[in-house]
Amino acid sequence: MAFELPKLPYAYDALEPHFDARTMEIHHTKHHNGYTNNLNNALAGTPGEGKKIEEILGSISSYSTAVRNNAGGYYNHCLFWEVLTPNGGGEPSTQTNIRKAIDRDFGSFANFKDEFTKAAMTRFGSGWAWLCTDANDKLFITSSANQDNPLMDIADQKGTPVLGLDVWEHAYYLHYQNRRNEFVEAFWNVVNWTEVTQRYNDANAGAMK
Ligand code: MN
């Protein structure tokens, strides 16, 4: 089964004014679509064909650079669309597991936001900022270059991403030009904390098995 470009769970203009419709449409139909097609082409006729994306990422060091770039690009954008919502923003309730873990591991929600923002702002060039949970159910923030991610066996710090922010210029340049800081600030208004909580719960349920 070849990988398929997922549909967005909302309209292209649904995240306005924070993320503009034109950027969202190009990002999905051109960039994410390109990674998906290039991944399928790079895997065609190789032993990786038909494997699950998580399995490919977990042993990415044994694949070509084309697979590394496009498997990352495919997975990262699938996650990105899901952790955004027009009904987002705010803070996860103090009753949720993710909020309890944020307060435990970063001291407060405000500290978490500062650290994540710093990771997004200091990633030089193209890449991603991540909130991840590790094998001991501890949260950490990291960033990665290009389309790498913390599921890859080559990652400096390995874990399961529960929130990711694309800081490639293609994610913001049309609307924010060079002002990555304004894009990162806008991101907090569209974070889908329900989805992030679900991903955190799923990752930890898996880790405990
Ligand atoms: Mn992107």
Side-chain angles (χ1 to χ4, degrees):
M1 270 288 280
F3 292 104
E4 286 180 18
L5 181 71
K7 284 194 174 19
L8 292 197
Y10 38 74
Y12 289 123
D13 64 358
L15 306 181
E16 296 259 11
H18 311 293
F19 289 5
D20 67 287
R22 186 161 156 73
T23 299
M24 289 296 293
E25 182 168 5
I26 294 171
H27 203 169
H28 181 245
T29 63
K30 305 295 181 192
H31 294 275
H32 196 188
N33 192 49
Y35 296 123
T36 306
N37 292 335
N38 291 339
L39 173 60
N40 288 328
N41 291 337
L43 287 171
T46 76
E49 193 174 18
K51 288 194 172 154
K52 286 178 64 177
I53 191 69
E54 290 85 358
E55 195 183 341
I56 293 170
L57 295 170
S59 56
I60 204 71
S61 60
S62 63
Y63 288 87
S64 66
T65 303
V67 171
R68 174 172 168 176
N69 290 339
N70 292 293
Y74 172 76
Y75 177 91
N76 295 347
H77 290 85
C78 289
L79 179 145
F80 189 48
W81 311 134
E82 295 286 330
V83 298
L84 303 175
T85 174
N87 308 308
E91 301 181 6
S93 151
T94 53
Q95 302 306 309
T96 59
N97 290 338
I98 186 79
R99 178 56 181 275
K100 288 174 187 165
I102 285 173
D103 289 343
R104 180 193 67 200
D105 296 334
F106 301 106
S108 68
F109 187 76
N111 280 346
F112 152 72
K113 253 179 92 167
D114 285 350
E115 280 193 43
F116 188 97
T117 298
K118 196 182 296 173
M121 290 303 300
T122 56
R123 167 48 55 188
F124 183 77
S126 297
W128 291 74
W130 303 103
L131 173 66
C132 301
T133 180
D134 71 13
N136 299 315
D137 174 23
K138 188 172 160 42
L139 292 175
F140 67 92
I141 289 166
T142 188
S143 73
S144 56
N146 304 317
Q147 295 296 353
D148 288 353
N149 70 43
L151 291 174
M152 292 181 172
D153 60 353
I154 45 89
D156 294 335
Q157 220 179 343
K158 284 187 272 298
T160 303
V162 296
L163 176 65
L165 175 59
D166 188 345
V167 295
W168 282 58
E169 283 188 344
H170 70 225
Y172 62 87
Y173 206 85
L174 282 176
H175 187 73
Y176 292 102
Q177 291 84 51
N178 61 318
R179 304 185 304 278
R180 186 190 285 189
N181 61 316
E182 291 183 19
F183 167 68
V184 175
E185 194 55 41
F187 164 70
W188 296 113
N189 295 306
V190 290
V191 173
N192 185 346
W193 285 110
T194 305
E195 174 69 19
V196 176
T197 300
Q198 188 62 52
R199 284 174 179 265
Y200 176 71
N201 291 343
D202 289 349
N204 292 326
M208 280 185 279
K209 274 175 197 160

